[in-house]
Amino acid sequence: MFHFRRSASRITVDEARSRTRGKEPVAVLLDVREQAEWNAGHAPEAVHVPLTSLLAGGGPPPEAEGRPLVVICRSGNRSQQAAQLLNEHGAHAVDVEGGMDAWADAGHPVVDGRGNSGRIA
């Protein structure tokens, strides 16, 4: 089992994928990009909540509450901010170094809002 520290730390896209996929994933992949970015392309197993929503006081979606979180954005900047914010509110969150750009570069799947092959915007 993976242990998450209370302070935000960074993990690789390969670590993120291994923690968030399978029949019983250890963590939830939380994509904090804006809606248009999400619609263009995201990881198939990810759940979506824009950073702007978190900053406005919103929390993670119900399927992510009380679970370890692996936070991702396009390049890794917003996810680092989101992971820190989530940790300050009692979550166990880490962010993905390099974000969805690195995810796609590693050859991990990307789907659009309709479930077709997506792209990182």
Side-chain angles (χ1 to χ4, degrees), residues 17-38:
R17 186 150 194 246
S18 71
R19 292 182 188 193
T20 59
R21 65 184 300 239
K23 290 184 181 184
E24 294 183 32
V26 174
V28 173
L29 184 61
L30 187 66
D31 191 320
V32 296
R33 295 175 301 144
E34 294 302 316
Q35 190 68 49
E37 295 172 290
W38 168 265

Side-chain angles (χ1 to χ4, degrees), residues 63-104:
E63 61 266 42
E65 286 186 21
R67 303 214 28 227
L69 303 172
V70 173
V71 186
I72 196 164
C73 66
R74 185 183 54 78
S75 65
N77 293 322
R78 287 175 284 179
S79 61
Q80 200 168 22
Q81 183 180 1
Q84 181 177 349
L85 178 66
L86 289 161
N87 282 323
E88 288 170 0
H89 287 92
H92 295 278
V94 296
D95 83 290
V96 180
E97 188 172 9
M100 286 300 298
D101 287 339
W103 180 277

Side-chain angles (χ1 to χ4, degrees), residues 5-27:
R5 296 191 316 235
R6 296 297 281 185
S7 62
S9 62
R10 306 198 94 181
I11 62 172
T12 67
V13 292
D14 292 333
E15 290 172 304
R17 186 150 194 246
S18 71
R19 292 182 188 193
T20 59
R21 65 184 300 239
K23 290 184 181 184
E24 294 183 32
V26 174

